[in-house]
Amino acid sequence: MNSAQVAAFEGANTGNSAFTAADLSFLIVGIVGTAVLLWTVWVAISSYRAWGRDKMTGDVAGGVLLRALFICVITIVITSF
């Protein structure tokens, strides 16, 4: 954000609980990171259950987990900037 945008954000955000743009950015990154990590855990548990019931081979389960971890890492890297 440039200085005019920061000044407009801080000018509009007055009162008892004034957040800075950095605080809002940290909150958004935290929510996105948490959602992506929860999704990755859900994928891991679902693929493990499918593998345990012989609905998925070990190679396919490993590929699913690698793709999920790749998406997780890329999303966290993108949102951290």
Side-chain angles (χ1 to χ4, degrees):
M1 292 175 57
N2 62 27
S3 60
Q5 290 172 329
V6 171
F9 182 84
E10 290 175 355
N13 190 17
T14 59
N16 293 336
S17 62
F19 289 105
T20 65
D23 293 338
L24 183 62
S25 174
F26 183 73
L27 177 68
I28 291 171
V29 168
I31 290 171
V32 169
T34 301
V36 168
L37 287 173
L38 285 174
W39 175 79
T40 305
V41 169
W42 174 77
V43 167
I45 291 171
S46 297
S47 64
Y48 176 74
R49 287 181 179 169
W51 174 72
R53 294 179 185 148
D54 290 330
K55 295 183 179 180
M56 182 184 295
T57 64
D59 294 337
V60 174
V64 167
L65 289 174
L66 283 176
R67 282 188 295 250
L69 287 173
F70 179 73
I71 291 171
C72 179
V73 168
I74 294 299
T75 304
I76 290 174
V77 167
I78 289 172
T79 57
S80 67
F81 287 113

